[in-house]
């Protein structure tokens, strides 16, 4: 095969792979005062020969709770929140400008890549995310990365 044809095929495959990965992300954006109940349970088993590797086990919750974190335009409150696996956190934008909640690090959001609103949301809107992995998950406002918070999932 000639080189331009191979490069074209590889480019098309890359676009398809990115589109598929974006489609499978789990997050919910819901309007203010609309109750949401979403539990996404995923079982992931990662094995590797590296001793420092982390195995992530997701547990099916028996009861779930929705916790609110408010944003007043300057900071998230509470700044740190401890929840259980399977609980949902609803981020309420009470500020005067859009915010975009996303996992650290800024700007790539790879610490917990599914934990990403994927867009800014306006004052009065909410973003909800169900945490299915135990751990300490730091996050920030992607539109102003100095505004941060932490969700501890037990």
């Amino acid at each position: 095969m000639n080189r331009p044809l191979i490069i074209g095929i590889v480019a098309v495959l890359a676009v398809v792979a990115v589109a598929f990965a974006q489609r499978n992300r789990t997050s919910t954006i819901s309007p203010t005062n609309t109750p949401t109940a979403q539990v996404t349970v995923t079982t992931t088993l990662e094995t590797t020969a590296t001793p420092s590797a982390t195995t992530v086990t997701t547990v099916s919750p028996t009861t779930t709770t929705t916790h609110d974190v408010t944003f007043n335009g300057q900071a998230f409150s509470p700044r740190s929140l401890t929840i259980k696996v399977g609980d949902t956190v609803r981020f309420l934008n009470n500020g005067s400008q859009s915010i975009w909640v996303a996992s650290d690090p800024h700007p790539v959001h790879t610490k917990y890549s599914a934990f990403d609103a994927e867009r800014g949301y306006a004052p009065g809107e909410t973003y909800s995310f169900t945490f299915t992995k135990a751990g300490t998950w730091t996050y920030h406002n992607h539109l102003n990365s100095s505004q941060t918070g932490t969700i501890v999932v037990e």
Side-chain angles (χ1 to χ4, degrees):
M1 276 194 220
N2 66 26
R3 187 178 183 133
L5 180 60
I6 292 172
I7 291 172
I9 291 171
V10 169
V12 168
L13 290 174
V15 168
V16 169
V18 168
F20 182 76
Q22 289 295 328
R23 193 175 124 220
N24 287 330
R25 295 179 78 149
T26 57
S27 63
T28 302
I29 297 178
S30 58
T32 303
N33 298 328
T34 301
T36 60
Q38 174 188 1
V39 176
T40 303
V41 179
T42 308
T43 303
T44 305
L45 177 60
E46 299 173 5
T47 58
T48 181
T50 309
S52 63
T54 302
T55 299
V56 177
T57 304
T58 306
V59 180
S60 177
T62 54
T63 60
T64 62
T65 304
T66 298
H67 306 268
D68 287 342
V69 172
T70 58
F71 182 77
N72 66 8
Q74 301 297 314
F76 293 98
S77 178
R79 190 160 180 184
S80 182
L81 177 66
T82 301
I83 65 172
K84 301 290 182 196
V85 170
D87 285 359
T88 298
V89 177
R90 182 174 46 206
F91 295 88
L92 309 155
N93 184 359
N94 292 338
S96 60
Q97 296 184 352
S98 292
I99 63 171
W100 174 339
V101 175
S103 89
D104 284 340
H106 179 72
V108 294
H109 314 147
T110 54
K111 187 168 186 177
Y112 192 164
S113 60
F115 176 30
D116 182 348
E118 297 183 351
R119 70 168 180 90
Y121 53 100
E125 286 187 301
T126 65
Y127 163 67
S128 295
F129 184 77
T130 301
F131 288 83
T132 59
K133 298 180 187 179
T136 299
W137 309 110
T138 53
Y139 65 92
H140 61 278
N141 174 4
H142 180 73
L143 304 176
N144 181 347
S145 62
S146 66
Q147 298 164 332
T148 64
T150 303
I151 306 294
V152 178
V153 183
E154 300 177 330

